[in-house]
Amino acid sequence: MFLTPHHINACIFAIRMDNNLYFSNSASFLLAFTDKNFDPDYYEFDNDFCCETLGKRNMEPPFHSHAPLLDKSQLIIYSFTKITVSKSLSIQLERRYSDFQFDDYKTYLSGLKTTLNLILINLSSSIRKYNYGMIATVSRGYDATTCATLAKEIGCDEAFTFNRPSHYENDCGTEIAKLLGYTKIHECDGDFAKSNTEFIEAADFASGDSGALITFEAHKALFKNKLLFCGFQGDEFWGIDHPPYENLYYPIEGSNSNSYEIFLQTNTVLIMIPNIGADHASQIYDISLSDEMSPWRLGVKYDRPICRRIVEEAGVPRELFGQKKVGAGYCFHYDTLKTIGKKMSPQSYKSLLNFSKELKQNPLKKIKAYCRFIFLNTPIYLPHVLNKLHINLKMKKWNKEHLSNPVSTTYILWGVDHMKKYYKEAMTS
């Protein structure tokens, strides 16, 4: 039996080969182990690894998706799924569920705290090989601050925040962390990923991510052998600007949030607190809009009453957080191979360009993929071009679906190729 994480941000991958089944929580390792390669003429890898579209496809039968390999076989992708394999290698799939029942704020908060305590007990077991520490992200926004508040209650005393460059100055969470009682606080450079020499982008892309967590990954030494508490997807589960989507399907234009290769390297357990009980998102949403939560609703677009109540009741003044959404990370979804270089380290970008020159792709299929992507994103690209000519134009989006930028095939294949080399070296050493 194989169990994926109880969220859609990390997967289990499988390949059938020579009457055998191979499973791994790393696509790159699985490809290295089986000596397989992705098909370079396929332009939906970004879609296949994106947790938002996985939510749409993997929540319904047959509860999995796949990506094509060069030899016409497939990499099978499972998320939020219980996988049972028989002795004859037949597979039975069952969607995972959590047993929560959130009737009000008290039962929801109790569910969060109970789960965090169970995680702590599990990972601090004396029979584990590693002794796990804990570290939390903190900012002046809602999500990270809420997670830091809850993490502190189970003994976390280390936090990190971004205070530079200028984009992060007003989002630095040091003052809040001190009010919560943290004594070990790291103030980090949010642009450090651009100067890294460890090809962090390759690990990020190989995971199917596109910059959402790369600012965290650049400081990976901080969370080695630790639980890392972060508020990723808090906007979807704690926000009240729209009702929750069905089947954990959360369409996002900005970023993915699959990013496991770095955490596998550092033996980090990523705890995304907003995802706890998120398959009951409608109950969480109803609690946020309930009468009992009215004192913590501000009546503005950036409004998360559950977060506000948790943090304020922990002693943090209302005016110190949740006033403006800043966020961290990059977005590569609309970049060309040229513009993406501004968001990468020079060493990584040079490697990516060299890889792209050697990548053999069918030119007609490539042109078709680019034309489709640009056409469907006309409301994004056309105003951008006209704005450079000082013509102001606003257009409504034609398509709310997650669309794979054809460039993503190049950078994902580059990342996988890079990670496969690491794994092959490890297997032969």
Side-chain angles (χ1 to χ4, degrees):
M1 183 185 295
F2 298 88
L3 292 173
T4 67
H6 208 290
H7 53 73
I8 56 176
N9 299 74
C11 307
I12 287 179
F13 306 95
I15 288 178
R16 282 187 182 268
M17 187 178 75
D18 300 329
N19 296 317
N20 291 297
L21 263 174
Y22 299 90
F23 290 88
S24 177
N25 56 355
S26 164
S28 297
F29 173 73
L30 193 57
L31 293 172
F33 188 84
T34 58
D35 201 26
K36 300 272 190 177
N37 295 290
F38 281 132
D39 182 352
D41 287 324
Y42 180 67
Y43 290 95
E44 297 294 327
F45 290 115
D46 190 21
N47 235 332
D48 291 328
F49 289 111
C50 175
C51 74
E52 286 77 29
T53 51
L54 283 172
K56 181 179 182 181
R57 292 176 294 158
N58 287 12
M59 293 302 103
E60 301 291 343
F63 300 123
H64 70 275
S65 53
H66 62 270
L69 303 178
L70 194 55
D71 64 356
K72 307 302 180 183
S73 60
Q74 298 175 342
L75 176 80
I76 308 169
I77 306 170
Y78 300 104
S79 65
F80 208 74
T81 306
K82 173 183 173 182
I83 309 159
T84 305
V85 186
S86 72
K87 290 182 179 180
S88 63
L89 299 188
S90 64
I91 294 177
Q92 181 180 351
L93 301 179
E94 180 183 343
R95 178 182 166 181
R96 298 196 69 182
Y97 289 93
S98 64
D99 295 326
F100 293 109
Q101 176 61 42
F102 301 133
D103 298 315
D104 51 26
Y105 174 78
K106 182 179 179 181
T107 54
Y108 177 61
L109 184 61
S110 175
L112 294 181
K113 291 184 176 181
T114 299
T115 302
L116 292 174
N117 276 295
L118 288 172
I119 291 172
L120 178 63
I121 291 170
N122 187 310
L123 293 178
S124 59
S125 170
S126 60
I127 63 174
R128 284 192 173 273
K129 183 176 180 179
Y130 297 99
N131 293 318
Y132 284 84
M134 292 187 284
I135 189 168
T137 59
V138 64
S139 69
R140 294 177 72 93
Y142 277 117
D143 307 325
T145 304
T146 303
C147 292
T149 302
L150 294 169
K152 182 62 182 173
E153 290 193 21
I154 61 169
C156 182
D157 192 39
E158 186 174 9
F160 73 95
T161 186
F162 298 115
N163 70 336
R164 58 191 187 279
S166 57
H167 174 66
Y168 295 105
E169 284 181 3
N170 295 326
D171 197 43
C172 177
T174 297
E175 183 180 0
I176 292 174
K178 289 180 178 178
L179 286 171
L180 292 173
Y182 283 88
T183 61
K184 192 173 184 180
I185 305 168
H186 308 275
E187 294 183 340
C188 301
D189 181 356
D191 273 357
F192 180 72
K194 293 181 181 179
S195 60
N196 85 88
T197 58
E198 300 182 51
F199 294 95
I200 293 174
E201 298 95 337
D204 192 74
F205 293 149
S207 304
D209 194 48
S210 57
L213 289 178
I214 199 168
T215 52
F216 299 88
E217 296 162 344
H219 302 279
K220 61 183 183 179
L222 288 177
F223 45 79
K224 185 175 183 179
N225 295 332
K226 294 175 183 175
L227 305 186
L228 171 59
F229 299 95
C230 77
F232 210 85
Q233 289 187 317
D235 50 347
E236 297 297 347
F237 303 119
W238 287 334
I240 58 173
D241 57 328
H242 63 76
Y245 298 99
E246 294 297 322
N247 287 331
L248 293 178
Y249 172 41
Y250 294 94
I252 263 182
E253 298 94 4
S255 62
N256 298 2
S257 52
N258 297 43
S259 190
Y260 54 84
E261 288 290 359
I262 289 291
F263 302 127
L264 291 176
Q265 290 178 18
T266 58
N267 188 37
T268 300
V269 181
L270 182 63
I271 308 295
M272 296 172 291
I273 296 180
N275 281 264
I276 296 175
D279 53 333
H280 301 275
S282 59
Q283 294 178 7
I284 300 171
Y285 181 76
D286 289 343
I287 292 169
S288 295
L289 295 182
S290 65
D291 290 341
E292 69 165 327
M293 298 302 294
S294 60
W296 293 275
R297 285 196 298 273
L298 302 183
V300 296
K301 185 175 182 180
Y302 186 44
D303 199 0
R304 298 177 192 173
I306 287 177
C307 297
R308 183 158 293 285
R309 182 171 180 178
I310 290 172
V311 178
E312 286 188 7
E313 290 184 347
V316 179
R318 174 166 293 201
E319 65 274 8
L320 283 187
F321 71 99
Q323 303 299 318
K324 179 181 179 182
K325 182 176 177 60
V326 176
Y330 303 104
C331 173
F332 298 107
H333 278 313
Y334 304 106
D335 277 297
T336 64
L337 198 57
K338 181 178 180 179
T339 61
I340 199 174
K342 299 176 183 179
K343 303 174 183 178
M344 297 177 65
S345 68
Q347 183 175 335
S348 293
Y349 185 53
K350 181 179 179 181
S351 175
L352 174 62
L353 289 179
N354 290 335
F355 178 84
S356 68
K357 293 175 183 177
E358 298 176 2
L359 185 62
K360 296 180 180 180
Q361 294 174 303
N362 183 305
L364 293 179
K365 291 182 178 180
K366 190 173 185 177
I367 291 171
K368 182 179 178 181
Y370 273 98
C371 289
R372 176 180 180 272
F373 181 77
I374 293 173
F375 173 73
L376 291 176
N377 282 294
T378 296
I380 292 176
Y381 286 109
L382 182 58
H384 177 73
V385 172
L386 293 178
N387 190 46
K388 291 183 178 295
L389 300 174
H390 305 290
I391 300 174
N392 187 22
L393 174 69
K394 292 184 179 180
M395 298 178 66
K396 291 184 178 180
K397 293 180 180 178
W398 294 347
N399 195 322
K400 294 183 179 180
E401 298 286 330
H402 180 102
L403 298 172
S404 292
N405 184 343
V407 175
S408 67
T409 287
T410 302
Y411 61 63
I412 287 174
L413 292 181
W414 167 71
V416 169
D417 182 73
H418 197 86
M419 293 306 303
K420 283 175 64 178
K421 291 175 183 176
Y422 276 129
Y423 283 124
K424 286 184 176 181
E425 289 174 5
M427 285 188 288
T428 56
S429 66

Coordinates of all heavy atoms in Angstrom, one line a residue, residues 32 40 47 90 117 121 158 172 183 224 268 278 289 316 338 367 372 400 409 427:
A32 N 15.7 8.2 -13.6 CA 17.1 7.8 -13.5 C 17.2 6.3 -13.2 O 18.0 5.6 -13.9 CB 17.8 8.6 -12.4
P40 N 10.2 15.0 -25.4 CA 10.4 16.5 -25.5 C 9.4 17.2 -26.4 O 9.4 18.4 -26.4 CB 11.8 16.6 -26.1 CG 12.0 15.3 -26.8 CD 11.3 14.3 -26.0
N47 N 1.3 21.4 -16.7 CA -0.1 21.0 -16.3 C -0.1 19.7 -15.5 O -0.8 19.6 -14.5 CB -0.9 20.8 -17.6 CG -2.2 21.6 -17.5 OD1 -2.7 22.0 -16.4 ND2 -2.7 22.0 -18.7
S90 N -1.8 -5.7 -10.1 CA -3.0 -4.9 -10.4 C -3.1 -3.8 -9.3 O -2.7 -4.0 -8.2 CB -4.3 -5.7 -10.4 OG -4.6 -6.2 -9.1
N117 N -0.1 18.5 16.8 CA 0.5 17.7 18.0 C 0.8 16.3 17.6 O 1.8 15.7 18.0 CB -0.5 17.8 19.2 CG -0.3 19.0 20.0 OD1 0.8 19.2 20.6 ND2 -1.3 19.9 20.0
I121 N 4.4 14.4 17.6 CA 4.7 13.2 18.3 C 5.3 12.1 17.4 O 6.3 11.4 17.7 CB 3.4 12.6 18.9 CG1 2.9 13.5 20.1 CG2 3.5 11.2 19.4 CD1 1.5 13.2 20.6
E158 N 12.0 28.8 16.3 CA 12.9 29.3 15.2 C 12.0 29.7 14.0 O 11.1 29.0 13.6 CB 13.9 28.3 14.8 CG 15.0 28.8 13.8 CD 16.1 27.8 13.5 OE1 15.9 26.6 13.9 OE2 17.0 28.1 12.8
C172 N 8.5 42.3 6.5 CA 9.4 41.6 7.4 C 8.6 41.3 8.7 O 7.9 42.2 9.3 CB 10.6 42.5 7.8 SG 11.7 41.7 9.0
T183 N 12.7 33.3 19.8 CA 14.0 33.8 20.2 C 15.1 33.7 19.1 O 16.1 34.3 19.2 CB 14.5 33.2 21.5 OG1 14.6 31.8 21.2 CG2 13.5 33.4 22.6
K224 N 17.1 22.2 7.2 CA 17.6 20.8 7.1 C 17.2 20.0 8.3 O 17.4 20.5 9.4 CB 19.1 20.8 6.9 CG 19.7 19.4 6.6 CD 21.1 19.4 6.3 CE 21.6 18.0 6.0 NZ 23.1 18.0 5.6
T268 N 13.5 17.5 4.9 CA 12.6 18.5 5.4 C 11.2 18.0 5.3 O 10.8 17.5 4.2 CB 12.7 19.9 4.7 OG1 14.1 20.3 4.9 CG2 11.7 20.9 5.3
A278 N -8.4 20.4 4.4 CA -8.8 21.3 3.3 C -9.8 20.6 2.4 O -10.5 21.2 1.6 CB -7.6 21.7 2.5
L289 N -17.5 32.9 7.5 CA -18.6 33.9 7.2 C -19.7 33.8 8.3 O -20.7 34.5 8.2 CB -19.2 33.6 5.9 CG -18.3 33.8 4.6 CD1 -19.1 33.5 3.4 CD2 -17.8 35.2 4.6
V316 N -1.0 39.6 19.1 CA -0.4 40.4 18.1 C -1.5 41.5 17.7 O -2.6 41.2 17.3 CB 0.0 39.6 16.8 CG1 0.5 40.6 15.8 CG2 1.0 38.6 17.2
K338 N 14.1 34.1 -23.0 CA 15.0 35.2 -22.7 C 14.7 35.9 -21.4 O 15.6 36.2 -20.6 CB 14.9 36.2 -23.9 CG 15.8 37.4 -23.8 CD 15.6 38.3 -25.0 CE 16.5 39.6 -24.8 NZ 16.4 40.4 -26.0
I367 N 5.8 25.1 -32.7 CA 5.1 26.3 -33.1 C 3.6 26.3 -32.8 O 3.0 27.3 -32.3 CB 5.3 26.5 -34.7 CG1 6.8 26.8 -35.0 CG2 4.4 27.6 -35.2 CD1 7.1 26.8 -36.5
R372 N -1.0 28.4 -29.7 CA -2.1 28.1 -28.9 C -2.0 28.9 -27.5 O -2.9 29.5 -27.1 CB -2.3 26.6 -28.6 CG -3.4 26.3 -27.6 CD -3.5 24.8 -27.4 NE -4.6 24.5 -26.5 CZ -4.4 24.4 -25.2 NH1 -3.3 24.7 -24.6 NH2 -5.5 24.1 -24.4
K400 N -9.8 30.5 -17.7 CA -9.4 30.5 -16.3 C -8.6 29.2 -16.0 O -8.1 29.0 -14.9 CB -10.6 30.6 -15.4 CG -11.3 31.9 -15.4 CD -12.4 32.0 -14.4 CE -13.1 33.3 -14.5 NZ -14.3 33.4 -13.5
T409 N 8.2 23.3 -20.8 CA 8.7 22.0 -21.2 C 10.3 22.0 -21.2 O 10.9 21.1 -20.8 CB 8.2 21.6 -22.6 OG1 6.8 21.2 -22.5 CG2 9.0 20.4 -23.2
M427 N 23.6 6.5 -7.4 CA 23.4 5.1 -7.5 C 24.7 4.3 -7.9 O 24.8 3.1 -7.6 CB 22.3 4.8 -8.6 CG 20.9 5.1 -8.1 SD 19.6 4.6 -9.3 CE 19.9 5.8 -10.6

